[in-house]
Amino acid sequence: MSEHIKIVEVGPRDGLQNEKQPISVDTKVGLVERLVDAGVRHIEAASFVSPKWVPQMAGSAEVMHRVPRTANLYYSALTPNLKGLEAAIAAGCEEVAVFGAASETFSQRNINCSIRESLERFRSVIEVALESKLRVRGYVSCVLGCPYKGDIAPERVSEVALMLSEMGCHEISLGDTIGRGNPNSTRRMLEACIRVIPASQLAGHYHDTYGMAIANIVASLELGLRTFDSSVSGLGGCPYATGASGNVATEDVVYLLHGLGHETGIDLPKLIQAGLYISSALGRGTSSRVALAMSSNCSTTSAD
Ligand code: HMG
Ligand code: MG
């Protein structure tokens, strides 16, 4: 049965936060404009974190002020604390995201506090965001493995996810930060989460380090998930997760979903152009297999 699948494009944030080279605000805005033109409607375009921790996101306020605004277009931003939330509100975000973890060590390295401390901090961020009529998304990182501690118990993931949900997050994005999962471990982790939160409120956020992300999305669809995060051109990585590579490429996810008969509202050829734009701005090739196939003369098969 054909269903609408929500794609949350995280390329402008997750995709670019880890780049070594400077990326101008013009380039970031140019990327968002092309994504919007391709029909992407949920875009994580900014991150209001400490510029000392993640210098690439320093221009976020300016990016948010310059991106296109139309009906049914939703921008979100990472907000680790109230200072970040204030900046996101001033910049006109429709949604903000708090980001916790299922691994203590990762939590310390990424946001400089324990899981418990982070949840206390998020409680006030969520309260103020909801009072200001913003929707709040909750991330849980390291759901299928931690770069420092290895395996993570599915119950640890569902526990943190439930706490974020109970605090008021409308959607919980489950991050395979280091892309180490496979369909079996993904299923086990999701089954634990679905015991406490409906699948319709969960999102899969799979990095593609081991090339398993598409398979993990198929496993997640079978368990009822209908929201996936991805990065155009497969950009991305977390500066505090050594060895993590990019998110699954949005082009590949869209090709998969259209091939399965689902609908995303996204125009694949235009999305591929958006990916080629940012890859060229970064001076390297795309990591999307579909973009490579469809932009070469070898294959002209349309998935639309
Ligand atoms: P801290 O050093 O413990 O915080 O950092 P602090 O409160 O002591 O503040 C230190 C300085 O940062 C102060 O400035 C603050 O004003 C400033 P100073 O007085 O030294 O000049 N500061 C801020 N500046 C701007 N915006 C803010 C802000 N907050 C404090 N919001 C903090 C704690 C959380 C701020 C820091 O650890 C941080 O910014 N971490 C962000 C790390 C990050 O962005 N990681 C990548 C995103 S997570 C990810 O990629 C995973 C995900 O994709 C899912 C997945 O794949 O798993 C979401
Ligand atoms: Mg990520």
Side-chain angles (χ1 to χ4, degrees):
M1 193 183 69
S2 173
E3 288 187 58
H4 179 78
I5 309 293
K6 175 176 156 190
I7 302 271
V8 179
E9 169 62 49
V10 295
R13 192 280 302 173
D14 204 343
L16 299 181
Q17 69 183 9
N18 204 26
E19 283 294 325
K20 300 280 177 287
Q21 57 184 303
I23 306 161
S24 70
V25 168
D26 282 352
T27 302
K28 292 178 183 175
V29 173
L31 172 61
V32 173
E33 285 169 347
R34 285 163 177 80
L35 292 167
V36 171
D37 187 49
V40 180
R41 287 295 169 263
H42 297 268
I43 305 178
E44 197 170 78
S47 180
F48 294 102
V49 299
S50 164
K52 288 182 191 149
W53 284 66
V54 185
Q56 277 297 7
M57 291 289 109
S60 283
E62 198 185 339
V63 170
M64 284 306 303
H65 282 116
R66 289 183 43 197
V67 290
R69 302 279 180 169
T70 61
N72 303 321
L73 176 57
Y74 306 95
Y75 291 109
S76 64
L78 294 192
T79 53
N81 51 23
L82 285 168
K83 186 177 172 103
L85 176 65
E86 279 163 27
I89 293 172
C93 293
E94 280 77 20
E95 180 169 309
V96 292
V98 293
F99 48 106
S103 153
E104 277 301 344
T105 312
F106 182 79
S107 180
Q108 289 289 354
R109 302 272 176 107
N110 195 41
I111 49 174
N112 205 22
C113 62
S114 69
I115 296 174
R116 212 157 66 99
E117 287 164 336
S118 75
L119 291 168
E120 279 317 307
R121 196 180 286 173
F122 297 155
R123 188 183 296 283
S124 40
V125 174
I126 295 167
E127 265 172 27
V128 177
L130 294 178
E131 279 163 18
S132 312
K133 309 280 180 242
L134 267 73
R135 303 207 312 162
V136 188
R137 190 169 212 241
Y139 277 103
V140 185
S141 281
C142 299
V143 300
L144 294 168
C146 166
Y148 310 104
K149 292 289 171 194
D151 290 344
I152 297 289
E155 290 66 30
R156 189 73 187 118
V157 178
S158 59
E159 202 183 348
V160 177
L162 179 60
M163 284 192 258
L164 289 171
S165 172
E166 286 178 343
M167 284 184 207
C169 293
H170 74 97
E171 187 169 275
I172 306 297
S173 176
L174 300 163
D176 183 9
T177 318
I178 51 171
R180 187 169 169 268
N182 59 54
N184 273 349
S185 58
T186 300
R187 261 184 228 108
R188 281 196 295 274
M189 180 276 295
L190 289 178
E191 279 162 1
C193 292
I194 291 166
R195 262 178 237 129
V196 294
I197 301 173
S200 57
Q201 285 174 30
L202 299 174
H205 176 109
Y206 304 134
H207 285 260
D208 203 23
T209 320
Y210 288 75
M212 293 289 114
I214 284 288
N216 296 340
I217 289 176
V218 173
S220 308
L221 283 166
E222 285 167 5
L223 286 175
L225 270 70
R226 294 294 177 264
T227 302
F228 296 97
D229 302 355
S230 56
S231 275
V232 70
S233 191
L235 303 168
C238 175
Y240 297 99
T242 318
S245 76
N247 295 85
V248 62
T250 310
E251 299 90 319
D252 299 5
V253 178
V254 168
Y255 182 89
L256 169 79
L257 294 171
H258 292 185
L260 291 175
H262 296 306
E263 149 303 281
T264 61
I266 296 175
D267 178 310
L268 185 54
K270 282 188 174 178
L271 180 67
I272 289 173
Q273 290 309 313
L276 296 178
Y277 161 83
I278 190 64
S279 310
S280 141
L282 296 173
R284 58 167 180 266
T286 176
S287 297
S288 159
R289 304 288 293 267
V290 167
L292 273 177
M294 287 181 66
S295 56
S296 75
N297 292 329
C298 309
S299 165
T300 51
T301 311
S302 170
D304 270 345

